Amino acid sequence: MREFKTDIEIARAAQKKPIQEIGAKLGIPAEQLVPYGHDKAKVSAEFIRSLGDRPDGKLILVTAINPTPAGEGKTTTTVGLVDGLNRIGKNAMVCIREPSLGPCFGVKGGAAGGGYAQVVPMEDINLHFTGDFHAITSAHNLLSALIDNHIHWGNEQGIDSRRVSWRRVLDMNDRALRDIVCSLGGPANGYPRESGFDITVASEVMAILCLAADLADLERRLGDIIIGYRRDKSPVFARDIKADGAMTVLLKDAMQPNLVQTLENNPAFVHGGPFANIAHGCNSVIATKTALKLADYVVTEAGFGADLGAEKFFDIKCRKAGLNPAAAVIVATVRALKMNGGVSKEDLGVENVEALTRGCANLGRHIANVRRFGVPVVVAINHFTSDTDAEVAAVKDYAAGEGVDAIICRHWADGGAGIEELARRVADLAASGQAAFKPLYPDTMPLMEKIEAVASKIYHAAEVTADKAVRDQLAQWEAQGYGHLPVCMAKTQYSFSTDPTLRGAPEGHVVHVREVRLSAGAGFVVAITGEIMTMPGLPRSPAAERISLNEQGYIEGLF
Amino acid sequence: MREFKTDIEIARAAQKKPIQEIGAKLGIPAEQLVPYGHDKAKVSAEFIRSLGDRPDGKLILVTAINPTPAGEGKTTTTVGLVDGLNRIGKNAMVCIREPSLGPCFGVKGGAAGGGYAQVVPMEDINLHFTGDFHAITSAHNLLSALIDNHIHWGNEQGIDSRRVSWRRVLDMNDRALRDIVCSLGGPANGYPRESGFDITVASEVMAILCLAADLADLERRLGDIIIGYRRDKSPVFARDIKADGAMTVLLKDAMQPNLVQTLENNPAFVHGGPFANIAHGCNSVIATKTALKLADYVVTEAGFGADLGAEKFFDIKCRKAGLNPAAAVIVATVRALKMNGGVSKEDLGVENVEALTRGCANLGRHIANVRRFGVPVVVAINHFTSDTDAEVAAVKDYAAGEGVDAIICRHWADGGAGIEELARRVADLAASGQAAFKPLYPDTMPLMEKIEAVASKIYHAAEVTADKAVRDQLAQWEAQGYGHLPVCMAKTQYSFSTDPTLRGAPEGHVVHVREVRLSAGAGFVVAITGEIMTMPGLPRSPAAERISLNEQGYIEGLF
C-alpha cells in the first residue's frame, strides 16, 4: 500500500530544475528571464515583444460543473493535463492564476494544484511569490491617497467627497476594514468621509493588469478608472488627477508573466488573479498570449463552475483579447455530481448511482453551454478513492448520451501518467478543427439584454428583474458610451440560479440584479445578483494561529 | 567643461556586473545567492550560518552634523567611502538602509546615494526592491487583523478594545488614514473603535527585523510585541493571540540581507529601514554582522545628525548587537555649517567665513559627542561647487583645533577617486587601535536617568521635564521588567535642542518629554520630545503626477 503524503510534503520532495532550464524548453534565453530565486522568473518585456507574429498554439480551457465547497480540482486537472500532454510527446504549458495571500491565514490551504499535480515552489507561490499582488496593492492605494490628497488641497476637479467610489485594498482577510470613516483628527488629515478596504484580488487594478495587452494599454486602462463623481454626477477618472503614470511605474514588473514548473518539470505561467465574482477570474491575457507563442498546447482555467468561469472566459477574456479556444475540459467529480443530485455533504462517500445520475443534469447543461460558444468538450472525471466502478460507469454513460467522452483521471495520485488518456483526447479534439469560437452576444447589444442573454441561455432563468435605479444606471452608462462593454456576472458559484442550495439543472428561476457597477478601466459592467463579499474575514480559529517555521526552516500549518 | 548629469542618468549608464560576480568578491558562492533579477540578490540563511566564528572586519560609522533640509550626504559619503577604500586596495563594503516607497510619490527624490556615489539598480532599490517592506506591511497587518478577529470571536484574552495600541501600516503617504474609525457596518464587521495607519517604516516590525539576530530571535521579538491592554491594564502580547509564528513565516525572506553594488562595482548590503525618530534608524543587524564576516571594512550610516543617529546607533544597535565600531566619519557641508552659523537658506551660496566659523560649534559638539563613546573621528567635507577655498580652509582649521582631520571629499563629482584621502585616513584611524567603544549609560540605569543622560551629555540640555503621567508610565514599565532597555529619543533632527530653529550648539535648554512608548519587541523605550509624524502626507503637487514610463521603458519624474 502506498504511503500517503500531503501536498506540501510532495512539493518539498520535488526534483525542481533551475528555472533557466525550464525557460530553455520554451526557447527563452537565460538573459531574457528575470530570476526571482532559482525556481521562479519573470519573462522580460523585450522577449515578449520579440515574439511578434509567431503562430499560436492551441488554447485549452479547463472548467468545471457546479462544485462542492472543496472545489472539483480545476487547477489540479489543469496542471495534470499539461504533464499528461508532455508525456505523450506534446509541447504543452500551464497558464493559471496567482493565489491570494490573505486567505492563507484564514482556512488552511493553498492554490497551486494538489497531490502529484502541482506547480512549485508552492510555498513561495502561495506567499509573496514575485510581489505582483504587493505591486497591485501599492498602485491601488497610491490612487486612493492621491484622491484624498486632491480633495485636501483644494479639489480642483470638484470631486464630490460623498461620491468617491474608489476604496483601498490590502491582501489580508480583515473584516474591521470593510467599512471605515477616514480623514478624522482635524484639518491636517483631510475631510472625514466613509470608505473601506477590499481584498487586493478584488481591485479593479488586478482586473486591468489581467486584461491589458501591454504597458501602454495598461496605462490607458488605469487612466480610464472612474474614481468617483462630481456634484453634477459626471465621472472623475484616474487620469484627471494624473495618477495613471505613477501607477504604471509601480506595475511595470508585475505586468511580466511568472514562469515556474510542474512537479514533472513542465513550464507554467502563474500570473494575475482577479476575483471570479466582481471580476472575470482568469489569469492574465499577456501570460496566455505569450504562452500561445511558446507552446503548442496552452492549458488554462477560469474561476468557479462553467456557468460563471467559462462564460466570463469566453465573453470577456477571449472576446477582448481575440483568443480562439480549441477545446474545453469540464471537470466533474462523482462527489459533486451526487451533491447536485441531492445527496448531503455527510453522505457523499456512499455509493448512490441514482442520485449521481440525477446530478448529471448539471454536467449536461454545462456541456451544452460550452458547446454553445462553439468549443468542443471532453469531461474529466477527477478520481477520488471513494468513487465506485458503477458510479464512474454511470457518468461515462451519461456523457456518451450527450455525445461527449468522460475520461477517468488519476493525476492527483499518479501525476501525468494518470491523465494520458485525457491528454490524447484533448489533443485529438484540438486538432479536429471542430472549434469555431463565438461569444454569446454581440458588443452592440444593450447592457440589460446582455445580462438577459446570459441568464436565459446559460442559467436557463425565466426572467431577469431589476429596480428602476439599476435600469436607469445602465441606460446612463450606455449614453456615456459604455454600452459596448461585456457584462461580468457576480452570482453564487454553487447553482445555475442565484440560490446556492438549488442544485442540479434548475429551470424557470428568476435572476434579480441587485446592483450594477462600472469597471471602466477593466472594461466591463458588473451585474451583482446576491451578497458579494469583497473583503473576507478570518474564522474563529484562523490558520495563522498554527502557522510557523519549524527547526528545518520549513513552513508548518500553511497547507 | 563637464556635462551635468542627473543621478538617474548616471545610474542608468552604470556598467553593472552580474550580482554573482559581486557576491564572488565577498566569497559568496552563486548557489548561496538568491537572485532577484540579474543585479540584486539575497544572501541565503544557510550561508550566513556557515560564517560561524570568522573574525570581524572594521566597522565604520558615517554620521553628520545637524543638517539643512536637503541633508548632508551621509549615504553618498558612505557609498563614496567604500569606493575610495577599494581604490586604495582595501576590501570594503557598504551597509545601508532600504528607502521607503511612499515618500517617492510625494517629493521627487530617491535614497540610494547621489552623483557618482550611488548604489544600483537605484530605480529598483527605490521602488519594490526585493519586497522586504511589502513583507513587513503584510506581517504587521496580519497581526492587526488577528487582533480585531480575536475580539470579534469572543475576546478570550479580554483585550480592552479602547486600549488596542497596535495600528495598521501602509508604505504610502496617506494622511486620510492617520485617524480612522474601523469595524463599522454592523455586527459582522466587529466592534467599532478608533485606530489608524502609520507608514511601514514606522512599524515596530521594521525595528524588530532590523535588530533580530536570526529567525528564532525574530520570532521571539515578534511574540514580545505589546498589542494593547486588558481592563486591568496588563499588557497583551502578540504571542497571546498566537500571531508570532505566521508573522515569522511572512518575514523569512525579508530577514535575508540584500546584495547590490556601487557604481564602481563594489558590494553593498541594502537592508532594513527603521524610522530614525520612533525607532533607531540603522540598517539591519544581520546585514551588518554578515558584512563584518565578509569584508575588512564595513561602512554604515545612521539616520539624521549624530545627536540622534549616532547616539542610537551606539546605544541601541551596537549595545544590543555587541558591535565595536572602529571609527566614525562626521559629514559636514559648508552650507550646513553656515546655516548653523545663522545664515538663511537663500544666502547659503554666498561666501561667509564668519558665519561658517560660528556654525562650526555644531560640528565641534558632534566631534566631542562621538568621542565620548570611545570612537575616533574624522570629518568629511562633502564638497559643493559653491564652496570657496577660504570656507574650506576655515573648516579644516576649526577641526584641527579639535585635534581632528577635516578632509575635502569630491565623491559626488568624481566617485571613489574623489575620496581617496578620506579613505586612507579612515583606514589609518581604524587600524590605530584608538577605538574603545562604550555606550553612554549602563543597562541598569533607571529609564528617566537614561533620558537625562542623553539630554545632558549629548544635547547639553539643562533639564528634562515630563508630566507625572510620563514618569509613572516609566516606573510601571520598570516594575514590569523593562527597566533594562535603552531609550530611543524622538527629537527634531535640526537642532541639539527640541526647537528646530535653534542652530549651532545651544546650551542650557529644556527637553520636555511629551510621551513615552514601549517597543517591547524591538527592545527600547521611545521618548517623544515633539510632534512626531508617523504617517506623512502628500504635498499639493505630488511627484506622482509627473511620474511615468517613457517610450524606452525608463522611469521619468521619480528622481
Side-chain angles (χ1 to χ4, degrees), chain B residues 69 88 98 100 133 155 173 181 191-192 249 272 338 369 391 442 494:
Chain B
I88 63 166
E98 299 178 55
S100 184
F133 287 15
N155 201 0
N173 288 20
V181 172
Y191 295 87
V249 165
K338 283 191 282 194
N369 283 348
E391 289 174 326
Y494 295 113

Side-chain angles (χ1 to χ4, degrees), chain B residues 69-327:
Chain B
E72 296 325 297
K74 282 195 305 292
T75 306
T76 304
T77 304
T78 302
V79 174
L81 177 55
V82 165
D83 285 339
L85 283 163
N86 278 282
R87 279 183 68 92
I88 63 166
K90 306 297 184 186
N91 167 17
M93 77 177 289
V94 172
C95 263
I96 55 175
R97 288 170 291 168
E98 299 178 55
S100 184
L101 180 65
C104 289
F105 298 101
V107 178
K108 186 171 162 169
Y116 287 87
Q118 298 187 48
V119 286
V120 283
M122 76 96 103
E123 286 142 305
D124 290 359
I125 293 171
N126 278 295
L127 292 173
H128 306 294
F129 199 22
T130 60
D132 293 343
F133 287 15
H134 292 315
I136 290 166
T137 302
S138 294
H140 183 116
N141 292 334
L142 174 61
L143 178 54
S144 312
L146 289 169
I147 294 168
D148 280 300
N149 192 59
H150 183 92
I151 297 171
H152 176 73
W153 285 110
N155 201 0
E156 212 171 90
Q157 287 288 335
I159 301 167
D160 184 343
S161 70
R162 305 165 307 176
R163 290 196 170 86
V164 173
S165 48
W166 192 254
R167 292 159 48 98
R168 287 174 175 83
V169 296
L170 275 185
D171 195 0
M172 194 58 64
N173 288 20
D174 191 349
R175 67 170 66 73
L177 294 177
R178 284 173 189 154
D179 290 303
I180 68 169
V181 172
C182 64
S183 303
L184 295 170
N189 298 350
Y191 295 87
R193 63 182 185 84
E194 289 183 56
S195 189
F197 283 70
D198 299 317
I199 193 162
T200 298
V201 287
S203 167
E204 188 179 347
V205 176
M206 175 69 86
I208 288 173
L209 185 119
C210 290
L211 288 167
D214 53 31
L215 283 169
D217 187 35
L218 178 78
E219 183 163 19
R220 186 184 57 70
R221 288 169 180 268
L222 292 169
D224 286 343
I225 290 172
I226 294 175
I227 59 175
Y229 298 85
R230 299 184 183 83
R231 286 188 74 96
D232 66 4
K233 307 277 177 70
S234 65
V236 185
F237 299 94
R239 180 179 296 114
D240 294 333
I241 60 166
K242 305 191 185 80
D244 41 342
M247 291 171 76
T248 305
V249 165
L250 281 170
L251 294 169
K252 75 178 171 51
D253 298 331
M255 261 299 278
Q256 303 311 120
N258 305 301
L259 179 66
V260 292
Q261 62 194 291
T262 69
L263 290 174
E264 300 185 7
N265 310 119
N266 293 309
F269 279 160
V270 178
H271 192 225
F275 241 33
N277 47 34
I278 62 157
H280 59 294
C282 311
N283 74 286
S284 77
V285 163
I286 193 169
T288 303
K289 288 191 135 182
T290 302
L292 287 168
K293 301 288 184 203
L294 300 176
D296 297 330
Y297 296 85
V298 173
V299 185
T300 190
E301 61 159 324
F304 296 156
D307 52 327
L308 281 163
E311 188 271 315
K312 294 200 265 197
F313 172 78
F314 293 136
D315 277 326
I316 300 177
K317 181 173 175 178
C318 292
R319 177 199 303 261
K320 290 297 175 184
L323 298 171
N324 282 296

Side-chain angles (χ1 to χ4, degrees), chain B residues 128 147 347 434 526:
Chain B
H128 306 294
I147 294 168
D347 297 330
Q434 286 180 52
V526 187

Side-chain angles (χ1 to χ4, degrees), chain A residues 296-468:
Chain A
D296 296 330
Y297 297 84
V298 174
V299 186
T300 190
E301 62 160 326
F304 296 156
D307 51 326
L308 280 164
E311 188 271 313
K312 293 199 265 197
F313 173 77
F314 294 136
D315 277 326
I316 299 176
K317 183 174 174 178
C318 292
R319 176 199 302 261
K320 289 299 174 185
L323 298 171
N324 282 297
V329 176
I330 300 181
V331 182
T333 60
V334 165
R335 296 166 64 86
L337 288 168
K338 284 192 282 194
M339 187 174 255
N340 271 295
V343 176
S344 71
K345 203 173 153 188
E346 296 68 38
D347 297 329
L348 289 178
V350 182
E351 183 180 271
N352 189 337
V353 174
E354 193 195 324
L356 176 101
T357 307
R358 228 173 17 244
C360 279
N362 185 270
L363 173 61
R365 183 175 295 171
H366 287 298
I367 292 171
N369 283 348
V370 172
R371 283 171 158 177
R372 184 184 276 277
F373 288 94
V375 179
V377 171
V378 58
V379 173
I381 308 172
N382 185 15
H383 181 69
F384 276 63
T385 47
S386 60
D387 301 350
T388 70
D389 291 346
E391 289 175 326
V392 170
V395 182
K396 286 176 176 257
D397 286 350
Y398 179 88
E402 302 289 318
V404 168
D405 287 342
I407 298 170
I408 189 95
C409 300
R410 300 175 192 271
H411 48 288
W412 186 84
D414 298 329
I419 196 169
E420 285 186 23
E421 190 186 344
L422 180 74
R424 271 188 292 268
R425 184 70 190 118
V426 164
D428 289 347
L429 262 191
S432 69
Q434 288 179 50
F437 170 69
K438 52 180 190 304
L440 189 69
Y441 50 78
D443 289 351
T444 50
M445 186 181 273
L447 292 169
M448 196 63 194
E449 288 180 32
K450 287 173 180 163
I451 296 170
E452 287 164 351
V454 176
S456 64
K457 295 180 183 170
I458 302 297
Y459 307 160
H460 287 219
E463 192 188 355
V464 174
T465 58
D467 293 348
K468 180 167 180 301

